[in-house]
Amino acid sequence: MARNLDGFNFEQRHGKDRVRVGRVWRNKDGRHFFVEWSVSISLLSDCVAAYVRDDNSDVVATDTMKNTVYVKAKECSEQLSMEDFAILLAKHFISFYHPVTSAIIKIVEKPWERIYIDGQQHEHGFKLGSEKHTTEVILKKSGTLQVTSGIEGLALLKTTKSGFEGFIRDVYTALPETQERVLATEVTASWRYSYESLSSIPPNPHCFTERYLDVKKVLVDTFYGPPTQGVYSPSVQSTLYQMARNVLNRFLDISSVELKMPNIHFLPVNLKNKDNETIVKFADDVYLPTDEPHGSIQASLSRFWSKM
């Protein structure tokens, strides 16, 4: 909340970023579960005196915030989702410290995946995957809650069923129209849940983890289409919209979706020189992979009642 100080608008917050914690849960049957989280904490609090009067009596030390992450991770004797851990931390900070009015907890989960040996899941072996699971929880002392989850680095590519035609052409346009190209992107997605209070959170301890996997599956399935025939993409924009719409149509507990999908180009290779216009003719088979510059496409889709 902004304060008027000496004729200026003043807003402040403080916290601790990139607190890394690993947690192992061991079942009685010998099966282990492992997560690695990078936690960022930001507190909105009534500690203006620290800025203007050299009075730190209402300040929660950032080192204390870091230690709290490890203590609360230790206290979680049962496996829980990243979202539930963020909610747990936020509840602690707004209830334990009187000056704190809101807590913002962001977590990025490193993608450790269980490995398979001879087709069988290993009891305690994990390997590093690719895309990352993210969350942001905002909890106010009034009880107002906002939970957002997401994916970073979801790399998707299909070698056909993609084109781009009918766009604006002018004197600077060199891009040819096509009905056949490689479509590649690295999806960054976030979705906001409709839960607005702690009491509205489902009692299922794995609901957020399950929903994350469900949303990822819908995004991937929409991008590729059925296994044998696929689905045609007339543009990244069209595919992005279909992905977001399918998420909202499928999951009523999600109120809004935001997608960022760079168009990562694979350029057709055509070799020629001044004496020969065609040394090797491209036939939709050899490409030059590039990562910059790339197209930047993003959009959000929300229900009319969403407070996006």
Side-chain angles (χ1 to χ4, degrees):
M1 180 181 296
R3 296 278 295 271
N4 188 322
L5 291 179
D6 301 325
F8 301 100
N9 284 324
F10 178 69
E11 295 183 61
Q12 58 80 29
R13 65 179 63 183
H14 75 293
K16 198 76 164 182
D17 285 341
R18 299 178 69 178
V19 181
R20 295 178 60 184
V21 56
R23 181 62 161 99
V24 177
W25 290 279
R26 298 173 174 86
N27 284 2
K28 293 180 180 179
D29 61 4
R31 188 175 178 83
H32 293 189
F33 296 88
F34 177 75
V35 294
E36 181 183 343
W37 293 330
S38 178
V39 182
S40 294
I41 301 161
S42 186
L43 302 182
L44 283 66
S45 62
D46 186 13
C47 62
V48 176
Y51 294 86
V52 299
R53 292 196 296 272
D54 302 332
D55 179 358
N56 297 325
S57 58
D58 287 327
V59 174
V60 182
T62 65
D63 188 69
T64 302
M65 298 181 202
K66 176 202 68 177
N67 295 340
T68 302
V69 171
Y70 298 119
V71 171
K72 293 303 176 183
K74 174 65 176 178
E75 291 176 355
C76 294
S77 58
E78 299 293 332
Q79 186 183 0
L80 80 168
S81 71
M82 186 171 66
E83 289 85 351
D84 283 316
F85 186 67
I87 292 170
L88 184 152
L89 286 175
K91 285 171 59 178
H92 170 80
F93 287 117
I94 65 168
S95 61
F96 198 75
Y97 300 103
H98 177 72
V100 176
T101 57
S102 299
I104 303 171
I105 311 296
K106 297 181 180 180
I107 305 180
V108 178
E109 181 172 285
K110 207 163 185 177
W112 291 106
E113 303 171 349
R114 190 176 301 277
I115 65 168
Y116 288 75
I117 302 295
D118 296 330
Q120 183 177 353
Q121 286 190 350
H122 201 282
E123 292 293 326
H124 53 266
F126 300 84
K127 67 178 181 66
L128 195 60
S130 53
E131 67 273 1
K132 296 178 180 178
H133 181 181
T134 65
T135 194
E136 178 185 71
V137 167
I138 303 175
L139 181 61
K140 297 182 179 180
K141 200 178 284 286
S142 63
T144 302
L145 174 70
Q146 180 179 302
V147 180
T148 304
S149 294
I151 297 173
E152 292 181 355
L154 178 61
L156 306 176
L157 179 150
K158 59 183 183 180
T159 56
T160 188
K161 297 284 186 175
S162 174
F164 190 51
E165 302 175 278
F167 49 88
I168 294 174
R169 305 198 70 88
D170 56 38
V171 294
Y172 302 118
T173 303
L175 183 69
E177 298 189 0
T178 183
Q179 294 181 343
E180 179 61 46
R181 66 173 182 171
V182 170
L183 179 59
T185 189
E186 188 172 284
V187 179
T188 299
S190 63
W191 53 93
R192 182 175 297 179
Y193 289 97
S194 56
Y195 313 125
E196 296 184 346
S197 65
L198 293 173
S199 61
S200 64
I201 299 294
N204 177 4
H206 304 296
C207 69
F208 287 112
T209 300
E210 292 170 355
R211 181 62 76 240
Y212 167 78
L213 296 174
D214 291 340
V215 171
K216 183 168 70 169
K217 185 177 187 306
V218 168
L219 294 174
V220 171
D221 289 356
T222 305
F223 179 88
Y224 291 112
T228 55
Q229 67 265 31
V231 62
Y232 184 73
S233 172
S235 67
V236 177
Q237 287 87 340
S238 175
T239 297
L240 182 154
Y241 176 73
Q242 294 299 327
M243 292 164 70
R245 189 181 69 170
N246 285 350
V247 169
L248 290 185
N249 284 340
R250 176 78 180 275
F251 308 114
L252 297 181
D253 57 349
I254 293 176
S255 60
S256 62
V257 181
E258 181 175 353
L259 291 174
K260 299 178 182 179
M261 292 175 54
N263 189 4
I264 301 174
H265 305 298
F266 283 73
L267 306 178
V269 173
N270 286 295
L271 298 183
K272 61 182 180 180
N273 58 33
K274 64 179 182 178
D275 299 319
N276 190 344
E277 282 295 315
T278 304
I279 299 175
V280 176
K281 183 176 177 56
F282 174 71
D284 299 325
D285 50 5
V286 178
Y287 299 85
L288 172 63
T290 68
D291 54 13
E292 57 183 34
H294 57 69
S296 178
I297 294 91
Q298 64 184 79
S300 60
L301 193 66
S302 60
R303 306 185 195 279
F304 281 113
W305 49 261
S306 172
K307 300 177 181 178
M308 188 165 184

